[in-house]
Amino acid sequence: MADYKEAPLASRPQTLDPREYLELSPEERRAQEERLAIRARLKLQYLSQLNDPHRTELIEDPALTRWSYARNLNHIYPNFRPSPKTSLLGFVCGVVPLFVLYYVFKTDRDRKEKLIKEGMERPFSLTS
Amino acid sequence: MALRVSWLRSLSRDVRKSLQLARSSDKYARAASSISKDMLPGPHPRTPEERAQAAKKYNMRVEDYEPYPDDGMGFGDYPKLPDRSQQERDPWYTWDEPDLRRNWGEPMHWDFDMYIRNRVDTSPNPVDWNTMVKTLGGFVGLMLFMFFLGELFPSYQPVAPKQYPYNNLYLENGGEPDKEVPEVKNYKI
């Protein structure tokens, strides 16, 4: 197992990365430890709720609540601010399609109308 | 899965006139509104104290916490997590939610529902991106070119107008039997 090759849908795990053992600085190690500590605290909270025999309800996940609230309009609209980027996006998505689609449909329909008037196109003809 | 039903939950909960508890994640006797306002996402943090508070709120390290840039797009203080799909995470670790490969309380990516295992996947590819693009572009371009050539130079079985016997069906088409019957020869020997 000395030669680990990354498989098509599996990237190299952290425990087999030579960088982890050879080049990691103490600050990075400390950061990893802190992340592990946070994860362990959350795990403890979750498991104590999960295995509590007196629990009768679902375990509520505040991260999930926050995520769904963040994507709600109640959070997005107060944080919206007209800036160059948002104005440009609004213009491109809201105003430009009106004109572009009007132009495209109008020219296409006019062309068809011209052909039908000349008799070159017969959309509902029954005899041929 | 009942993911986006926070409003439904608060509707169905009994309105209990109990005190609002400070830590909403521990006890089961809750007030009518389940989570307090300071635990929800808020506006973009401006001072380092606000950043520290936001990092604590989202269960992240202060150094790891990076909000979206404040250009008015509506993200607020939601953290900007790396764009990695759930498929990339370790399949053998005992996640709290094994299907989603996620632990309880872990901050979710803004596009989490896009990065689930059934959808967009950012795992490493067997071939590198440029090779893939070139292969696809080459194939599609070649096919388009061949179809274009086929429109320019069509090739099909030879066809001719239909030929009828008996002098092009002269009598059947209403010709007089006494009149001179025009001789029509549809063959050549």
Side-chain angles (χ1 to χ4, degrees), chain B residues 69-140:
Chain B
D70 187 20
D71 54 4
M73 289 291 282
F75 288 109
D77 64 358
Y78 204 80
K80 185 173 193 309
L81 297 158
D83 292 336
R84 296 261 165 265
S85 82
Q86 301 301 95
Q87 182 70 18
E88 281 195 16
R89 298 196 177 191
D90 185 4
W92 298 106
Y93 173 75
T94 47
W95 302 97
D96 293 338
E97 287 151 28
D99 181 36
L100 298 174
R101 289 188 187 169
R102 181 185 165 263
N103 283 321
W104 186 86
E106 186 188 326
M108 296 166 83
H109 194 283
W110 182 271
D111 291 318
F112 180 78
D113 50 352
M114 181 171 87
Y115 284 126
I116 59 173
R117 284 162 64 204
N118 270 331
R119 296 181 182 172
V120 170
D121 187 359
T122 60
S123 309
N125 299 304
V127 201
D128 63 306
W129 180 257
N130 284 331
T131 319
M132 286 203 293
V133 169
K134 278 189 218 147
T135 314
L136 181 67
F139 176 70
V140 168

Side-chain angles (χ1 to χ4, degrees), chain A residues 103-118 120-121:
Chain A
Y103 176 71
V104 164
F105 286 137
K106 189 93 172 54
T107 34
D108 186 44
R109 290 294 170 134
D110 283 344
R111 183 182 58 87
K112 242 177 151 207
E113 176 72 18
K114 194 155 97 63
L115 282 177
I116 291 176
K117 276 205 174 125
E118 287 167 4
M120 300 304 289
E121 183 158 324

Side-chain angles (χ1 to χ4, degrees), chain A residues 86-97:
Chain A
T86 52
S87 316
L88 186 68
L89 263 180
F91 184 72
V92 163
C93 296
V95 176
V96 165

Side-chain angles (χ1 to χ4, degrees), chain B residues 127-189:
Chain B
V127 201
D128 63 306
W129 180 257
N130 284 331
T131 319
M132 286 203 293
V133 169
K134 278 189 218 147
T135 314
L136 181 67
F139 176 70
V140 168
L142 181 75
M143 293 311 291
L144 283 174
F145 178 66
M146 294 306 283
F147 279 120
F148 171 68
L149 280 185
E151 290 290 324
L152 271 188
F153 308 112
S155 90
Y156 43 85
Q157 292 282 351
V159 287
K162 185 149 179 67
Q163 300 166 348
Y164 296 92
Y166 301 117
N167 305 325
N168 271 350
L169 300 177
Y170 177 75
L171 287 176
E172 281 82 352
N173 277 340
E176 294 282 335
D178 304 329
K179 263 222 201 107
E180 178 81 21
V181 182
E183 277 285 330
V184 175
K185 261 199 181 156
N186 278 334
Y187 56 88
K188 196 157 83 159
I189 298 175

